[in-house]
Amino acid sequence: MKILGVLLAMAALMLSGCTLLSEEKIKLRDLEFTVLSEEKIPAELMTIIEEKKSAPFQITYTDNENLYICVGYGQQETGGYSIAVEELYLTDTNICVDTTLLGPEASEKSNRTPSHPFIVLKTEFLEQTVIFE
């Protein structure tokens, strides 16, 4: 009987732990954003991107007025890549961003010049932690 009680207590603890770990992100609202062209990126941020662009990166930057969310996909063998923003939204504790690298068209693959695709999203300044999905 004691063994059954111990097993039930252990099962209850394990199940409650799983519930805490699998906490769902509840979207409060989508965030409006602007995709910045290279000439619109703040100089200090562009310097950081230039240093990191050869490898994949995920960084945030703020000028205390705006939040800049940057995702880079490292060096690619060819040009012609683009990046799609799947989601950018606010939860009660985080800002969640999801991007996808889209490959070049077949006609663009003949250009063997390496590229370093990245995207910079400008959005409102918020204090929440950015989660890259």
Side-chain angles (χ1 to χ4, degrees), residues 17 70 84 118:
C70 313
F118 67 90

Side-chain angles (χ1 to χ4, degrees), residues 33-36 67-71 85 87-88 97 99 119-123:
F33 64 91
T34 303
V35 176
L36 297 183
L67 174 65
Y68 301 86
I69 299 169
C70 313
V71 179
V85 179
E87 291 190 297
L88 180 61
V97 61
T99 61
I119 192 168
V120 177
L121 309 176
K122 178 181 172 183
T123 190

Side-chain angles (χ1 to χ4, degrees), residues 84-123:
V85 179
E86 304 295 339
E87 291 190 297
L88 180 61
Y89 63 92
L90 181 66
T91 69
D92 58 345
T93 57
N94 299 306
I95 297 168
C96 298
V97 61
D98 184 17
T99 61
T100 302
L101 180 65
L102 304 174
E105 299 290 324
S107 62
E108 294 176 347
K109 288 186 178 183
S110 62
N111 175 3
R112 302 308 271 170
T113 305
S115 65
H116 303 88
F118 67 90
I119 192 168
V120 177
L121 309 176
K122 178 181 172 183
T123 190

Side-chain angles (χ1 to χ4, degrees), residues 49-61:
I49 291 169
E50 286 294 329
E51 292 171 0
K52 295 183 173 291
K53 74 179 184 180
S54 61
F57 67 87
Q58 301 169 331
I59 59 173
T60 60
Y61 175 85

Side-chain angles (χ1 to χ4, degrees), residues 4-132:
L4 182 60
V6 169
L7 288 175
L8 286 173
M10 287 176 54
L13 285 173
M14 287 174 40
L15 289 175
S16 66
C18 290
T19 304
L20 292 174
L21 293 176
S22 65
E23 182 180 315
E24 288 186 39
K25 293 178 254 175
I26 299 172
K27 182 192 293 190
L28 298 178
R29 65 182 170 98
D30 287 321
L31 294 176
E32 292 185 20
F33 64 91
T34 303
V35 176
L36 297 183
S37 59
E38 285 192 37
E39 54 273 356
K40 301 250 180 178
I41 298 171
E44 185 177 348
L45 176 56
M46 195 63 212
T47 301
I48 295 167
I49 291 169
E50 286 294 329
E51 292 171 0
K52 295 183 173 291
K53 74 179 184 180
S54 61
F57 67 87
Q58 301 169 331
I59 59 173
T60 60
Y61 175 85
T62 183
D63 59 10
N64 292 322
E65 290 180 27
N66 300 292
L67 174 65
Y68 301 86
I69 299 169
C70 313
V71 179
Y73 286 88
Q75 183 170 319
Q76 304 298 316
E77 291 180 12
T78 66
Y81 286 86
S82 60
I83 301 170
V85 179
E86 304 295 339
E87 291 190 297
L88 180 61
Y89 63 92
L90 181 66
T91 69
D92 58 345
T93 57
N94 299 306
I95 297 168
C96 298
V97 61
D98 184 17
T99 61
T100 302
L101 180 65
L102 304 174
E105 299 290 324
S107 62
E108 294 176 347
K109 288 186 178 183
S110 62
N111 175 3
R112 302 308 271 170
T113 305
S115 65
H116 303 88
F118 67 90
I119 192 168
V120 177
L121 309 176
K122 178 181 172 183
T123 190
E124 63 189 277
F125 176 74
L126 297 166
E127 300 259 343
Q128 282 87 342
T129 301
V130 176
I131 303 294
F132 295 90

